[in-house]
Amino acid sequence: PRYCHPIRIENEKQQWEGTDHSDQQLLQITWSNTKPQKGVNLLSYYDIEWLKSWRYDDGALRDRRAKTEVTTEQAIKSISKGGAGVDTKSKLVEVKFDEIIHFDDEKDKLLVLFKAIFTHGAAIVKNCPDVDEGPTSPVTVIARALAGSLSHGSLYGDLFHVRAEPNANNIAYTSVPLCPHQDLAYYESKPGLQILHCATMDPDLIGGESVLIDGMAAAEKFRQIAPDHFRTLVTCPATFVKQRDGACMTYLRPHVVLKEGPDMNDIDREIVAVNWSPPFEGPLCLPPDQVRSYYAAHAAFERMIDNSLQTRDSFVTAFLSEGELAQLGE
């Protein structure tokens, strides 16, 4: 195991006790005791490999970025052969519902689910029961297993159903195709995890396909092909808005967020977040001389994403069949 805190702190007169750690190199630190009345010095032990993994010289920072940054090579369909999920239709890790509902008995499967969401941005839970309400619904059960509870229910409730309705006040409740977007982008703190349950899907149904886009990989590709437009999406905040009876929410944030660094004008910094929700964008709050360049960059990124839906680029995959549940890391 790796530790971000001392593996053990003990009295200097004590000896290291524990499991066999012959293959584990440890750094011992002796802390001087400035209060003699409390006794002898204390010892701390740190895992050498863990310390090395958090070096901050230039080479180490480059290596760490290479391991963590999402690029087109690490996108959904580019998961290396032999990696988890590569043999599935969606190219995502898949876990059965019954394997994770008993947390005490199936901690390993829950860990697989957590790791898949963290590593690939999404995962699939198969064979979910056809329950769409109450505490036994798959959405509620999985949410409690992953996060302890549901959240962000003030606008639509903890659970809401996406189905076509007459006289709908939201495009989501119609049969009109939805363009790629994130939900609830107008919150100051967006959901970190979204759960979608495909309760029914008629095999003869035309349309209704769920499509997942790896926004981080898409942004990386956009940086490569249109660096000037990419810079605009990094530096110009978009306006995300929700306005209807009983709701008036607005939040400004850039479409692409880069990791902070000493040179904030450097657009080659690591991409750490993407905010994209055209159906819920409002009037800009930008100086007049930036408006034209913003809309040009916005249109270029939108065209790239829309075209990727037709070509099924490496960062696009279709997912969710009847009885399946998807967890998406926002």
Side-chain angles (χ1 to χ4, degrees), residues 37-248:
Q37 69 274 18
K38 287 194 174 183
V40 297
N41 296 332
L42 296 178
L43 304 179
S44 295
Y45 296 89
Y46 292 85
D47 183 289
I48 292 292
E49 290 303 315
W50 180 85
L51 291 172
K52 287 181 179 179
S53 71
W54 288 100
R55 289 161 44 207
Y56 41 82
D57 57 272
D58 291 343
L61 292 177
R62 285 194 299 269
D63 291 343
R64 191 182 309 158
R65 175 174 176 173
K67 293 179 180 178
T68 60
E69 187 169 27
V70 179
T71 67
T72 52
E73 287 73 25
Q74 286 84 43
I76 298 166
K77 287 188 178 179
S78 300
I79 299 173
S80 60
K81 291 184 178 180
V86 73
D87 293 328
T88 64
K89 179 182 177 181
S90 65
K91 303 301 181 184
L92 298 172
V93 172
E94 297 181 352
V95 180
K96 294 180 181 178
F97 181 79
D98 289 340
E99 293 177 333
I100 60 174
I101 58 174
H102 303 296
F103 178 77
D104 292 336
D105 299 330
E106 298 292 348
K107 291 182 180 179
D108 289 344
K109 292 297 182 181
L110 193 59
L111 180 60
V112 168
L113 193 59
F114 268 119
K115 185 176 180 180
I117 296 169
F118 180 78
T119 305
H120 305 311
I124 299 291
V125 177
K126 299 180 70 67
N127 302 335
C128 295
D130 185 13
V131 180
D132 58 10
E133 295 286 356
T136 61
S137 71
V139 171
T140 303
V141 172
I142 298 299
R144 288 177 176 170
L146 291 173
S149 67
L150 294 164
S151 68
H152 293 72
S154 60
L155 290 179
Y156 303 102
D158 288 340
L159 298 175
F160 60 93
H161 305 287
V162 181
R163 56 168 68 100
E165 298 177 352
N167 302 317
N169 63 356
N170 189 313
I171 191 173
Y173 304 134
T174 71
S175 58
V176 177
L178 288 172
C179 63
H181 68 282
Q182 294 168 314
D183 287 332
L184 308 185
Y186 36 78
Y187 272 80
E188 179 180 2
S189 177
K190 298 188 301 178
L193 186 68
Q194 186 171 12
I195 302 177
L196 305 176
H197 178 207
C198 181
T200 58
M201 176 69 78
D202 192 305
D204 298 325
L205 182 69
I206 298 176
E209 183 182 49
S210 297
V211 178
L212 176 64
I213 291 181
D214 192 328
M216 307 277 276
E220 171 60 29
K221 180 176 181 179
F222 193 62
R223 171 160 55 187
Q224 296 172 7
I225 64 177
D228 290 339
H229 285 332
F230 179 84
R231 179 184 293 276
T232 298
L233 296 188
V234 169
T235 56
C236 294
T239 303
F240 296 95
V241 62
K242 178 66 175 181
Q243 289 182 327
R244 62 166 172 78
D245 291 342
C248 184

